[in-house]
Amino acid sequence: VARELRLGLLGLGSVGRAFARLVSEEAAWLLHDQGVRIVITGVSTRRSGARVDESGLPVEELLAGGRFGDQVDAADFAATCPADLIVETLPLEPFSGATAIGATRAALRSGRHVVSANKGPVAHACRELTALAAEHGVRYSYESAVADGLPVFNLLRSCLPAADVTSFTGVLNSTSQVVLDALALGGTVAAAVLAAQQAGIAEADPAYDLEGWDAVVKLAALSAAVWDRPLDVRQVHREVVGAGAAPRAAEAAARGRRLMSVAELSDQASVRLVEVGPHEVFYPLRGAGLALTVRSRLLCPITVTSDDPSVRDTAYGLLADVLSID
Ligand SMILES: NC(=O)c1ccc[n+]([C@@H]2O[C@H](COP(=O)([O-])OP(=O)(O)OC[C@H]3O[C@@H](n4cnc5c(N)ncnc54)[C@H](OP(=O)(O)O)[C@@H]3O)[C@@H](O)[C@H]2O)c1
């Protein structure tokens, strides 16, 4: 007998749409091989409003655009949608995560699990939201909030127990790397950002990518989730990706190296432009590829990488969280 999971989609932008599409395209596989029937019973956006239907909303209708209904407050939707689980893909608010935190609290308090691609609430309220979920017998999961579909939190939790992680080093922002690679070849920031936007991998405000905020909030999410150590995002040193980096990117390329935006977290945190040589682990990353190296006391450095991922990989990260809910 198939297990039915009723989902409310809070946000239906690049990631929300990719998730709806993935669930629809893989419905037969999920049902017959995984024994799970996923039904989308509600959707809420800022401009197109909200719609709920306990018997399920056809995904083609959700993707077709148009108006869903009246606008509903995000927390009200999260608390009242006829769903077992809220899939939260609201825009990044790097300095507070406030809208998504409010909606997540409301969902958890009303006994709904929350699966989120949003690093803001993890960075700013991980401890509180995790405790609230436990109090209400539900789960708060956020695997895709850092490095899209790459396993990060599940990897640490399930495969590296008690490893005593001491630092993280990563290429964590696809848009920055797409821009740096374009600059190395003589391209412009504007054209590269447009390509990233068309691929759905840029933040709603691409300045959050290029100014390093996306990567900084990912470091803060790691710090909060793995070490229970909140990080003041405004204090983190950031090097901005812009036209000014073009000479450095081109010179690095001429010497067979790459200029990369590398995020580091130990007892300090930073996002810097670093020259990477061909024998270094981040050098072969292609396109929007991301990577994270985990250093720990009990084993050698472990690196996970993704090969030119798309927004579908982020959608998979959400699906992985959804399927792990019992
Ligand atoms: N794109 C990626 O590759 C990627 C990868 C990993 C994680 N993420 C994270 O995933 C989240 C979503 O990213 P995205 O690229 O999908 O962003 P997006 O395209 O800007 O979509 C955000 C969605 O949230 C809706 N929204 C905004 N405020 C709302 C509110 N108060 N109530 C209900 N809906 C609201 C928007 O509605 P309107 O459409 O009407 O504005 C839109 O549907 C972000 O937190 C981002 O950091 C993104």
Side-chain angles (χ1 to χ4, degrees), residues 10-16 44-48 72 74 89-92 99 117-119 144-145 148 200-204 214 311 314:
L10 180 55
L12 194 69
S14 301
V15 176
S44 183
T45 73
R46 189 180 38 187
R47 285 167 298 181
S48 308
V72 175
T89 59
L90 296 177
L92 172 64
T99 310
N118 191 342
K119 65 221 110 209
S144 55
D148 306 347
I201 58 171
E203 286 298 323
D214 171 77
V311 71
T314 304

Side-chain angles (χ1 to χ4, degrees), residues 73-149:
D73 173 75
D76 289 345
F77 174 82
T80 59
C81 179
D84 309 303
L85 197 155
I86 298 297
V87 178
E88 184 267 303
T89 59
L90 296 177
L92 172 64
E93 293 174 296
F95 309 115
S96 71
T99 310
I101 291 172
T104 302
R105 276 190 197 122
L108 298 173
R109 281 192 184 125
S110 63
R112 290 165 175 78
H113 306 281
V114 174
V115 163
S116 169
N118 191 342
K119 65 221 110 209
V122 189
H124 295 289
C126 187
R127 186 191 305 168
E128 180 211 321
L129 296 175
T130 304
L132 193 60
E135 194 184 313
H136 291 273
V138 289
R139 294 267 295 272
Y140 170 53
S141 308
Y142 40 79
E143 180 55 67
S144 55
V146 173
D148 306 347

Side-chain angles (χ1 to χ4, degrees), residues 208-230:
Y208 289 160
D209 295 301
L210 302 184
E211 292 175 6
W213 291 114
D214 171 77
V216 166
V217 181
K218 284 171 175 159
L219 294 180
L222 284 167
S223 186
V226 180
W227 293 328
D228 191 23
R229 202 193 291 160

Side-chain angles (χ1 to χ4, degrees), residues 165-211:
V165 174
T166 52
S167 75
F168 296 98
T169 311
V171 174
L172 295 180
N173 183 264
S174 299
T175 301
S176 293
Q177 202 50 51
V178 166
V179 169
L180 287 170
D181 290 340
L183 292 176
L185 295 171
T188 65
V189 174
V193 167
L194 186 63
Q197 285 171 326
Q198 284 166 346
I201 58 171
E203 286 298 323
D205 179 351
Y208 289 160
D209 295 301
L210 302 184
E211 292 175 6

Side-chain angles (χ1 to χ4, degrees), residues 238-273:
R238 287 173 296 114
E239 226 174 323
V240 170
V241 172
R248 278 175 74 190
E251 281 162 29
R255 282 183 273 110
R257 298 166 70 84
R258 280 177 87 181
L259 191 64
M260 305 190 87
S261 179
V262 175
E264 282 201 77
L265 174 69
S266 53
D267 46 351
Q268 307 262 310
S270 64
V271 178
R272 292 177 203 276
L273 301 188

